[in-house]
Amino acid sequence: MEFQSDVLGVPVIRPQVAETTALGAAYAARLATGFWGSLEELSENWLLDQTWEAKMDEVEREGCYRLWKKAVSRTFDWV
């Protein structure tokens, strides 16, 4: 996750509940049925587990991105 944060240049956060797809479906159902009255009420149930902050400088980030694009371009017309 640190690498993701470094490459994107933004913080990456992980919630306590890792199954976010199922959680999103449950949240949507509860909103639709009126279990929660608002998004603010729903957001009180979301809890942070861990955060990663970008530490890579812009020059290194651009170099990694350039190499990644080069690697991707080599896969074109592979088959």
Side-chain angles (χ1 to χ4, degrees), residues 5-77:
S5 179
D6 284 343
V7 169
L8 296 170
V10 296
V12 172
I13 59 172
R14 180 177 64 200
Q16 284 188 355
V17 176
E19 295 296 334
T20 56
T21 302
L23 185 62
Y27 280 1
R30 287 180 169 197
L31 277 171
T33 61
F35 183 85
W36 283 313
S38 68
L39 289 175
E40 291 77 22
E41 189 178 352
L42 178 151
S43 69
E44 294 172 7
N45 290 289
W46 190 92
L47 300 171
L48 175 68
D49 181 43
Q50 190 168 351
T51 302
W52 292 267
E53 297 288 337
K55 297 176 183 163
M56 189 182 288
D57 64 51
E58 187 67 29
V59 172
E60 186 178 1
R61 181 179 301 119
E62 287 300 319
C64 287
Y65 183 54
R66 187 173 47 258
L67 289 174
W68 176 79
K69 289 194 301 186
K70 183 178 179 181
V72 169
S73 69
R74 288 183 177 186
T75 67
F76 297 161
D77 302 319

